[in-house]
Amino acid sequence: MKDFAAIDFETANNERTSVCSVGVIIVRNGEIVDSFYSLIQPEPNYYNYWCTQVHGLKEEDTEDAPIFPEVWKQIASLIEGLPLVAHNKAFDGSCLRAAFRCYQMDYPEYSFLCTLTASRKVFPDLENHQLHTVAHECGYVLENHHHALADAEACAWIAKEIL
């Protein structure tokens, strides 16, 4: 796959609408040509202990962050015409749809591919199919795991290798 946008969301709590950060990597002709990262004011606006343990973000990190529609305006032009790719599209796709619903935005029916599903077919004998494991198998060392932009970049690397 040569042209796509890899995307990753982190959430503040167990609600899919509570996206608190997003990372996007734009790949054209098999090369990373652009990236985007933003903190987002989550909805509902609270952090649970477990989510903070995963990604390290807290309320004070996003108290001055823009809301989802403002962030998405910036992303929409970057990803126009590109399929989206996520490592676990069930999660990231549900976050995207939930945020669109929450803010009563029209969802454009993005084409969404999943490197997690693909990795299970391509690498059936891996010990697990977590993002860092699959990235390593594809020759990429994921540092700063659970930072949305770092995870999106790892996903892009995997997608270039196996999709």
Side-chain angles (χ1 to χ4, degrees), residues 45-114:
N45 194 357
Y46 70 91
Y47 283 75
N48 72 24
Y49 172 83
W50 297 111
C51 290
T52 293
Q53 288 299 110
V54 168
H55 51 59
L57 295 172
K58 301 175 184 162
E59 286 183 48
E60 53 268 22
D61 296 318
T62 55
E63 64 189 359
D64 296 324
I67 61 172
F68 178 82
E70 294 169 8
V71 172
W72 197 255
K73 281 182 199 169
Q74 298 173 69
I75 294 172
S77 60
L78 287 174
I79 67 170
E80 190 171 344
L82 295 173
L84 300 179
V85 179
H87 194 77
N88 190 0
K89 84 170 187 181
F91 175 78
D92 294 289
S94 67
C95 288
L96 185 58
R97 285 182 177 277
F100 266 76
R101 245 187 342 271
C102 177
Y103 289 99
Q104 300 177 347
M105 298 163 60
D106 292 329
Y107 186 77
E109 293 304 323
Y110 293 107
S111 170
F112 230 118
L113 302 166
C114 184

Side-chain angles (χ1 to χ4, degrees), residues 133-155:
T133 305
V134 179
H136 185 264
E137 185 70 15
C138 291
Y140 183 86
V141 177
L142 174 57
E143 296 176 8
N144 208 8
H145 190 18
H146 295 298
H147 181 282
L149 187 60
D151 286 0
E153 188 171 340
C155 177

